[in-house]
Amino acid sequence: MTIITSPQDFNTDDLYVDLEPVVGNTLFLKVEGLNFAGSVKLKAASAMVEAAEADGTLRPGAILVESSSGNLGVALSMIAAAKGYGFVCVTDSRCNLATRRLMESLGAEVHVITKPDPEHGLLGARLDHVRDLLASDDRHVWLNQYTNPNSWKAHYDTTGPQIAAQFPDVDVIFIGAGTTGTLMGTARYFADHHPHVRIVAVDSVGSVSFGTPAARRMIPGLGSGLVPPMLDRAVIDEVVHVEEADTIRTCHRLARTGFLFGGSTGTVVTAAEAWLAEHATPGTTAVAIAPDLGERYMDTIYQSHWVEDLYGDLTDDTDDTDDTDALTAVAA
């Protein structure tokens, strides 16, 4: 029996899905969405809040402020409610409606930015709004997931060792790149302890994180309009970019096997499937990290009208498991 008093005290982080029947190669998907926040961001949120409390930055009566496309916002909403802090999430119009409503249900105040910064897009505009909030009220505390080292240290201490313990013979790990906390913490752990393991970062086409041109991105989670300050390419072996249409195809294909995952997971699995099809040899052991589940995407990637309006009719080619022409891979 497990009994908890705070929602952040529960997290299932030892569940893996064997995707070989779906992708045709050995691929174990580490499911990180089985907690009350519903995503891998619970780890970073908990670590950042605990560190801020320990050093006195975060005190009773404080109001947390953070820029988030969704999952970290939910995690901080939950923790703030449990601990008695206020919370303001600064997001943008790409944030799923279900995610915004969930944050508000937990007591958070959600500010939706709709006008992008001319140079740095919606993320730049969100960060400007955060700075305005900080200047307006000294109760506001910004944990700053983009530069906070506790974000990646949480994964150095947990996600990396967890994978190594379950798969001591792992050859390659696929990790999505957003703010890069999960990517950097896991990659640094393996660089320090198992340097032979290949780390493949997964990004969305249209993200500028790895120097590729900016373009429209509508699925929240992975990708960035600014180069992430935490990114250290020295611990990454390769980068794979995925078109959002391919993300949607993969999510729908997984759903038809009974597994409903979010957009970030669909992107990572798409990249892993394509990479393994080209590079895997007999005996290759691969692990991919699934950041979240799919319930919050009912109005977007699992809603036919939303998909058709943005990407056209994908129904005719959703079953094409070889449709990976849009993927691009580069050495890090």
Side-chain angles (χ1 to χ4, degrees):
M1 177 184 295
T2 300
I3 299 175
I4 62 173
T5 57
S6 297
Q8 64 270 26
D9 293 339
F10 172 78
N11 186 33
T12 297
D13 50 22
D14 59 355
L15 177 68
Y16 293 80
V17 177
D18 181 358
L19 287 184
E20 184 173 6
V22 178
V23 305
N25 282 292
T26 301
L27 177 64
F28 299 100
L29 189 63
K30 189 178 193 303
V31 180
E32 291 281 358
L34 297 179
N35 54 61
F36 284 100
S39 81
V40 70
K41 288 291 190 177
L42 176 62
K43 291 178 175 178
S46 296
M48 291 190 296
V49 168
E50 289 171 6
E53 289 176 331
D55 67 16
T57 302
L58 191 55
R59 300 175 181 177
I63 302 172
L64 290 166
V65 178
E66 189 56 82
S67 162
S68 170
S69 62
N71 284 336
L72 183 74
V74 172
L76 287 175
S77 297
M78 183 189 77
I79 293 172
K83 289 178 171 286
Y85 300 120
F87 177 54
V88 179
C89 181
V90 180
T91 189
D92 61 57
S93 51
R94 295 171 298 188
C95 180
N96 297 320
L97 178 60
T99 300
R100 299 204 302 265
R101 288 176 172 170
L102 178 54
M103 289 189 282
E104 290 170 344
S105 297
L106 290 165
E109 185 178 326
V110 181
H111 294 188
V112 180
I113 304 301
T114 59
K115 184 177 180 180
D117 177 86
E119 183 177 357
H120 300 300
L122 286 167
L123 177 56
R126 277 162 41 186
L127 295 178
D128 287 342
H129 188 73
V130 167
R131 295 183 186 101
D132 290 342
L133 289 173
L134 294 175
S136 70
D137 190 332
D138 59 10
R139 293 177 300 166
H140 287 152
V141 175
W142 184 21
L143 298 176
N144 195 352
Q145 65 163 326
Y146 305 98
T147 62
N148 193 320
N150 295 292
S151 174
W152 68 261
K153 287 178 181 178
H155 297 283
Y156 188 98
D157 293 337
T158 60
T159 309
Q162 289 160 2
I163 294 173
Q166 297 297 325
F167 298 95
D169 59 346
V170 64
D171 298 296
V172 57
I173 304 174
F174 300 91
I175 311 168
T179 60
T180 70
T182 305
L183 173 62
M184 287 295 97
T186 306
R188 284 183 174 134
Y189 173 83
F190 278 92
D192 288 346
H193 300 280
H194 307 280
H196 65 281
V197 175
R198 190 167 188 82
I199 301 296
V200 178
V202 180
D203 200 10
S204 299
V205 170
S207 166
V208 306
S209 297
F210 296 93
T212 50
R216 184 191 73 171
R217 291 180 297 109
M218 299 303 298
I219 300 175
L222 301 187
S224 179
L226 297 167
V227 176
M230 285 190 292
L231 178 62
D232 177 6
R233 297 184 66 160
V235 293
I236 300 170
D237 296 294
E238 192 171 345
V239 182
V240 176
H241 287 85
V242 178
E243 291 277 6
E244 290 189 328
D246 290 323
T247 291
I248 294 167
R249 293 183 182 101
T250 296
C251 285
H252 285 213
R253 187 152 51 94
L254 289 170
R256 287 197 300 274
T257 70
F259 291 106
L260 192 73
F261 284 109
S264 297
T265 300
T267 303
V268 172
V269 172
T270 301
E273 180 177 16
W275 191 95
L276 290 169
E278 182 176 355
H279 300 290
T281 59
T284 296
T285 299
V287 172
I289 295 177
D292 59 1
L293 304 180
E295 291 89 345
R296 295 170 194 170
Y297 297 81
M298 291 296 99
D299 294 324
T300 54
I301 62 177
Y302 293 108
Q303 214 286 336
S304 60
H305 296 300
W306 185 89
V307 173
E308 290 172 9
D309 287 346
L310 292 171
Y311 307 98
D313 186 359
L314 302 182
T315 55
D316 291 340
D317 55 12
T318 300
D319 289 320
D320 185 358
T321 58
D322 295 322
D323 189 4
T324 54
D325 292 340
L327 298 181
T328 58
V330 298

